[in-house]
Amino acid sequence: MALQDLCKLQEVLVDRLSAGCSSEPFGTTTGCNYVSGSPFSDAGMFHFYIPAAEYLEESPIRFGQIRPVRSVGAASSPDSPALSWPPGLPLASSHCVPLPFPMAHGTTTLAFLFQGGVMVAADTRSSCSGLVACPASQKILPIHSHLVGTTSGTSADCALWKRILARELRLYQLRHGRRVSTSGAAKLLARMLHPFKGTELCVGATLCGWDGGAAGGGRDPGKNPSSVSGASLCYVCSDGTRLQGALFSVGSGSPYAYSILDQGVKWGLTVDQATAVAREAVYRATHRDAYSGNCVDVYRVSSEGWTRRTREDLKEEYYREEERRGRPSE
Amino acid sequence: ITFGDPGKMRDYHYTGPVEHRFSPYSFNGGTVLAVAGEDFAIVASDTRLSEGYSIHSRDSPKCYKLTDTTVVGCSGFHGDCLTLTKIIDARLKMYKHSNNKTMTSGAIAAMLSTILYGRRFFPYYVYNIIGGLDEHGKGAVYSFDPVGSYQRDTYKAGGSASAMLQPLLDNQIGFKNMEGVQHVPLTQEKAVQLVKDVFISAAERDVYTGDALRVCIITKEGISEQTVPLRKD
């Protein structure tokens, strides 16, 4: 694909963090290994990484094994979405037909700012009113090299609108020679969803990104430490809400996640500590919320771009916790 | 389903006026299943077409051949299945004429997602599963929801008996929810036998599944079909 040549993708680097995860209050984590998503040198307007969601490309044939650490699709990218997009967006009709089937809903996603960038986590259960439609869905979708979005609500809506957003951001970058900021992308998404207000479209997304250059590019270091770093977090909802903030959790499991996050999130956390907090919040929420469960995905967005931690099955964590407490596992 | 007289439940039964709306949808039953192997893919469906208490046809398979390497299984509302497959065929031809090559399985999946989402507010009531070979010759299965959300899987069941079959496949193909088992890669013969056994079980317990089973096996040699009889009651 032409964009691939323009971007001149290099070898993917595996970025391993120090294994000293000792002093966080939530017990030992099983390795905070991050895999670098893609080489994100901040060079020039043509450098725009178009993510290939690997759940769409790679053959998942593993016959029961947990997926090994994999470099996220630097080599392949999907066929140009512009070719297969229907000429018009779905027309919102005020007269809604009662549907005979339920849509996929229910989730726990969270994101917060800290000194190392933005920490993003989500569960992987996709449920359809009582049936788990997919135990291994992806709720954190990369939009470009420095922007990641969480999805909550109807998975079809979130997947498609993220694609549209990625396309519009890329067009903006080509036309104006610079990347859109996170709050700008949030505004764009909110404006695009506005005509569908009142319909059954259901999208609750947090856009987590890094704005500006590697050093947080030319911002006034004001009172707020996050204005020095380029980390930025915006919540966008299909009913028109658009909020900028430092901590968000979205979905049916969010109340449970908020309790962990309110206790544990501080600006000065190290990357390992922040990973532990995020993971713990999702773990507790999946325990209490019926519509969240299965595995947890953790991403981090920093000045180098986004990196992803290996997907972890929370079932193992539950058994480890039972052992720690000295109770026999049920 | 309404029964005439509420009988003893008269005190707890709603007896006021009820508004009935015309529903443009109907449920025609049927189950579809797809499995991906190392160098093959299998798409199987039963052939019963039902509506309410009646059976319209015992020979209405739900697998539709799209290209030499891709088969789609569509279950749900038969009217929407027919229209959707016509639209996919037309788009495949258009692609072939403008790009001078056949669409790959992944491309068909992405296209189907956008076709389905184009009708987000009056959806096609169809549960689709695409099975085929990807560009590297490995088996690929893509499963969809009615509004176009999709992802690539190793195996997936869709349709009326999907809730019964999916846990069974998780166990037998994914080796999930078991301890101390050897994870043996799935051979084509074992996969075909598993699919047949699984549908026989589904026909026992699901009223909308039965009559016959159509299995399409996709390998690099092409697509071969088998038909196996199932319970007719």
Side-chain angles (χ1 to χ4, degrees), chain B residues 27-231:
Chain B
F27 181 63
N28 294 113
T31 306
V32 181
L33 166 53
V35 179
E38 193 60 38
D39 56 353
F40 66 92
I42 298 175
V43 182
S45 75
D46 72 321
T47 59
R48 172 175 289 181
L49 192 73
S50 47
E51 185 170 356
Y53 289 122
S54 322
I55 294 179
H56 287 315
S57 165
R58 297 196 192 273
D59 186 22
S60 166
K62 296 161 190 63
C63 314
Y64 301 93
K65 175 170 170 291
L66 298 179
T67 65
D68 285 331
T69 53
T70 315
V71 173
V72 66
C74 309
S75 69
F77 172 43
H78 193 63
D80 278 345
C81 295
L82 292 175
T83 307
L84 189 61
T85 45
K86 280 188 195 131
I87 291 179
I88 297 173
D89 281 333
R91 293 284 296 265
L92 283 174
K93 281 201 187 100
M94 284 157 54
Y95 185 96
K96 181 81 192 283
H97 289 141
S98 32
N99 299 84
N100 200 24
K101 63 180 179 116
T102 343
M103 281 185 97
T104 59
S105 295
I108 298 178
M111 179 183 74
L112 181 55
S113 170
T114 50
I115 293 174
L116 291 171
Y117 198 81
R119 288 270 299 253
R120 169 67 175 80
F121 298 107
F122 184 9
Y124 291 109
Y125 181 17
V126 188
Y127 290 92
N128 297 288
I129 304 182
I130 291 182
L133 301 175
D134 67 5
E135 309 86 66
H136 308 291
K138 288 183 129 180
V141 165
Y142 296 92
S143 60
F144 292 78
D145 81 349
V147 273
S149 163
Y150 78 109
Q151 69 170 56
R152 185 168 172 176
D153 294 308
T154 314
Y155 52 85
K156 187 78 176 171
S160 57
S162 62
M164 288 178 216
L165 294 184
Q166 190 64 32
L168 182 53
L169 296 177
D170 282 337
N171 183 271
Q172 291 294 308
I173 302 181
F175 301 105
K176 291 201 188 148
N177 311 317
M178 292 196 285
E179 306 265 332
V181 242
Q182 201 188 7
H183 292 185
V184 184
L186 196 67
T187 60
Q188 185 176 323
E189 293 71 33
K190 184 154 189 295
V192 174
Q193 191 51 50
L194 191 66
V195 165
K196 290 177 182 166
D197 291 339
V198 141
F199 262 93
I200 291 171
S201 311
E204 294 287 324
R205 288 287 185 175
D206 180 35
V207 301
Y208 299 110
T209 305
D211 291 331
L213 164 69
R214 176 72 63 91
V215 185
C216 303
I217 304 164
I218 305 143
T219 51
K220 62 179 190 313
E221 280 91 40
I223 301 180
S224 67
E225 291 185 4
Q226 295 176 23
T227 307
V228 171
L230 293 175
R231 285 186 79 112

Side-chain angles (χ1 to χ4, degrees), chain A residues 21-44:
Chain A
C21 314
S22 48
S23 58
E24 75 293 315
F26 297 111
T28 52
T29 51
T30 53
C32 307
N33 302 327
Y34 277 86
V35 176
S36 175
S38 164
F40 299 129
S41 61
D42 221 291

